[in-house]
Amino acid sequence: MLLKDKKRLGIGMMFLFSAIGLIVSLFNFFLPASPIRYTGGAELVSLTTLTMTLLSGLIYFFRHDHYRWIHVGVNMLMMVLLFGTLCAAYFLESRLLFIFILLAGCGWF
């Protein structure tokens, strides 16, 4: 019972912090005073955080699915998105986005 609660907590953390990361990345993309506004990197980070938010929602709804290859594929995709977005947030020097994506990664682990 406790393991299932931890699973739901981790998925909830991923969804919450990736959604907050999406808001921060869109804020960085459209803010006129931001040095990374309308850049390709900011657009890519916005797209990957949107994808992470959608995938974490799908993981929550299909967590009782019994196909192992779906779980492995989605988890590998989520891991690549997390590490790629962390690197991009670091290179774009967006500390707030880096922190939220790091917290989403903690929820994934």
Side-chain angles (χ1 to χ4, degrees), residues 32-69:
S34 177
I36 58 172
R37 70 177 183 277
Y38 301 118
T39 60
E43 186 177 356
L44 179 66
V45 168
S46 298
L47 183 65
T48 57
T49 53
L50 174 67
T51 307
M52 286 187 335
T53 304
L54 294 175
L55 274 179
S56 59
L58 286 175
I59 288 171
Y60 178 76
F61 287 117
F62 295 113
R63 68 185 181 276
H64 298 297
D65 198 10
H66 297 292
Y67 295 112
R68 181 139 178 94
W69 64 273

Side-chain angles (χ1 to χ4, degrees), residues 3-21 52-61 63 78 100-101 103-109:
L3 181 62
K4 289 182 181 181
D5 291 337
K6 285 183 182 179
K7 238 182 201 181
R8 276 190 271 162
L9 177 67
I11 294 169
M13 281 179 61
M14 273 193 325
F15 182 78
L16 176 69
F17 290 122
S18 62
I20 293 172
M52 286 187 335
T53 304
L54 294 175
L55 274 179
S56 59
L58 286 175
I59 288 171
Y60 178 76
F61 287 117
R63 68 185 181 276
M78 185 63 82
F100 284 125
I101 299 302
L103 288 172
C106 289
W108 182 78
F109 284 114

